[in-house]
Every structure is written in C-alpha cells, then in structure tokens.
C-alpha cells in the first residue's frame, strides 16, 4: 500500500478559509479574496490575519489538488503492483489515465489552478509534488516515460475541458490510443 500524502489539510480558521476558497473557485471558476470573504461572511481584510495573501491561499489550494489527485492515482494503482511486465503495465496505464481523467474533469477549476502557469514550489509542502506524481513512474517504470505520460494526460484533459474535440467518440479513442502507446 502506498504511503499517505506527506501533507495534511490545514485545520482551524485557515482550514475554513481554504474550504471557502475552494467553494468559490469551483462555483465561480476564479478566486478573489473578496469572494472568499463573502463566502465566510467576513470582510476581506480579516482574511489576512490567517493567510499571507492570494498567492498563499492559491498555494494551499494547489496542495489540496496535488494531495487529492495523488491519492486518487495511488489508489488506482495500489491493486496492480508495478509496471514491470507489459500486460501489467498496460492495465496500470489504463487505470491511471482513467482515474486522472475522471478526477480532473470532476474538479476543473481546481485542476486548472494546480496545473496552469508556474508551480509555486517554494510555497508547497516538501515532497508533495513528487508523491503526487509517483504513480506515473509506477505505471511506466521509467521517469522520462512517466513524465511523458503525465504530459499526455494533462494535454488531453485540457483539450477535453476546452471542448476542442468535436466528437466524444474521437476523444475516447484518442485516450485509448495514448494508453496503448504508453503501455508498450
């Protein structure tokens, strides 16, 4: 079984603020400190007693996104072991891609926040990014192939979120072809 994420969501008032920020992000598709404060029934300046600013709050949400996606991906692979033989690797890649797609599409605004633009690594908990990405290495058995698989999955999710594939059957077939290619 995979080790748990090297991070726990904040508790107390900071946890309440992060939860409110997530609700705002998922509802509105964007994050403003005024909207978060309104969600909590307080004035925006009161937020700064608990979080350093919008960048710090976004970093907390990125940590949430990494921890949740990582947990989803680790769970998808835990029953399948490593990807040392081709048949097992194909099953792992299929499960990994299906879990990644499902999770990202279920949380599009959080996904975009966590995967668009530069990653604020200096604000993230140590080890969380590596832990969240480790399932790609497990599924492929190679760090470069794992990164390429993540790039494929990310690109496909963004194209799907942006509705760039006019025919859903083409989209599903493209996911299947990608899985087949990476399982070789």
């Amino acid at each position: 079984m995979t080790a748990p994420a090297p991070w726990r969501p904040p508790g107390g008032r900071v946890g309440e603020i992060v939860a409110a920020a997530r609700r705002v992000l998922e509802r509105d598709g964007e994050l403003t400190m005024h909207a978060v404060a309104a969600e909590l029934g307080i004035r925006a300046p009161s937020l700064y007693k608990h979080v350093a600013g919008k960048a710090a709050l976004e970093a907390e949400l990125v940590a949430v996104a990494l921890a949740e996606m990582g947990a989803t991906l680790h769970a998808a692979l835990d029953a399948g072991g490593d990807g040392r033989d081709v048949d097992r690797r194909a099953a792992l890649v299929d499960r990994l891609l299906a879990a990644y797609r499902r999770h990202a599409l279920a949380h599009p605004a959080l996904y975009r926040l966590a995967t668009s633009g530069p990653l604020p690594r200096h604000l993230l908990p140590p080890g969380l990014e590596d832990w969240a990405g480790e399932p790609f290495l497990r599924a492929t058995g190679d760090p470069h192939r794992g990164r390429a698989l993540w790039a494929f999955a990310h690109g496909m999710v963004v194209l799907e979120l942006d509705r760039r594939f006019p025919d859903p059957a083409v989209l599903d077939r493209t996911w299947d072809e990608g899985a087949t290619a990476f399982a070789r």
Side-chain angles (χ1 to χ4, degrees):
M1 182 153 204
T2 302
W7 174 82
R8 294 283 181 251
R13 190 64 170 157
V14 173
E16 292 172 10
I17 293 169
V18 171
R22 182 178 185 165
R23 289 191 302 272
V24 167
L25 180 65
E26 290 180 349
R27 180 188 66 226
D28 301 344
E30 64 180 350
L31 188 68
T32 67
M33 297 302 269
H34 287 304
V36 174
E39 180 75 14
L40 292 165
I42 62 174
R43 294 177 36 132
S46 298
L47 292 172
Y48 295 96
K49 295 175 186 173
H50 306 283
V51 293
K54 185 178 177 188
L57 185 53
E58 287 177 339
E60 289 287 346
L61 289 170
V62 169
V64 168
L66 289 173
E68 289 181 0
M69 179 65 86
T72 296
L73 300 180
H74 279 285
L77 298 188
D78 274 344
D82 61 32
R84 290 202 179 118
D85 69 42
V86 175
D87 290 339
R88 184 175 297 171
R89 188 168 38 244
L92 291 175
V93 168
D94 282 343
R95 285 200 307 273
L96 180 77
L97 289 178
Y100 189 94
R101 181 183 186 192
R102 189 172 42 254
H103 187 84
L105 295 178
H107 308 282
L110 187 63
Y111 180 81
R112 285 187 191 272
L113 176 69
T115 62
S116 298
L119 186 65
R121 286 184 175 93
H122 66 287
L123 297 175
L124 295 176
L128 181 58
E129 179 187 8
D130 290 339
W131 176 85
E134 196 263 337
F136 289 97
L137 173 60
R138 281 180 56 199
T140 63
D142 178 82
H144 301 292
R145 197 173 196 62
R147 287 184 201 103
L149 179 59
W150 173 76
F152 167 77
H154 171 66
M156 288 295 295
V157 163
V158 170
L159 290 169
E160 189 165 358
L161 288 172
D162 290 344
R163 295 187 169 98
R164 296 298 298 266
F165 285 89
D167 180 356
V170 171
L171 180 62
D172 292 341
R173 175 76 191 270
T174 304
W175 276 100
D176 291 343
E177 288 297 324
T180 300
F182 279 99
R184 288 189 199 130

